[in-house]
Amino acid sequence: MKKKNSIENIKADYRLLVDIQMGKYLRSVGRSEFISDTEAQYVISIIIAAYNDVIASNHERLDNSDLEDKTAWFNSVEIDI
């Protein structure tokens, strides 16, 4: 049996939040891609901080959410970029 908090699951959750939030950011600025590596690094660093502050500490919710629930949750997170 696979542990719910395995490193693979943690990485998948992390990637899901980054993908969702990058998409939200790019839509908010009316673009489909970053204009520079610097912009991308800046935005991703803010998203990572939000993951660490808002998501990672909520182990119980992560462990008991399926992909659909996580997607809705991660979409609901408002990050000021």
Side-chain angles (χ1 to χ4, degrees):
M1 187 166 118
K2 196 172 192 179
K3 290 181 0 183
K4 290 186 179 208
N5 62 351
S6 71
I7 191 70
E8 293 83 17
N9 289 347
I10 292 167
K11 287 179 182 178
D13 292 342
Y14 174 85
R15 283 191 298 268
L16 179 62
L17 180 75
V18 170
D19 288 348
I20 288 169
Q21 292 296 328
M22 281 190 334
K24 284 176 69 172
Y25 169 77
L26 289 169
R27 283 190 301 279
S28 78
V29 295
R31 290 188 261 122
S32 61
E33 59 187 38
F34 294 107
I35 56 174
S36 68
D37 286 344
T38 302
E39 178 192 29
Q41 290 171 354
Y42 173 74
V43 170
I44 292 169
S45 71
I46 293 172
I47 295 169
I48 290 168
Y51 179 87
N52 291 332
D53 293 343
V54 177
I55 305 297
S57 62
N58 205 334
H59 305 288
E60 185 85 17
R61 186 171 179 185
L62 278 172
D63 289 348
N64 293 304
S65 295
D66 61 17
L67 181 59
E68 184 178 338
D69 294 334
K70 288 177 185 179
T71 300
W73 175 20
F74 295 175
N75 263 304
S76 74
V77 173
E78 294 297 325
I79 301 174
D80 187 22
I81 301 175

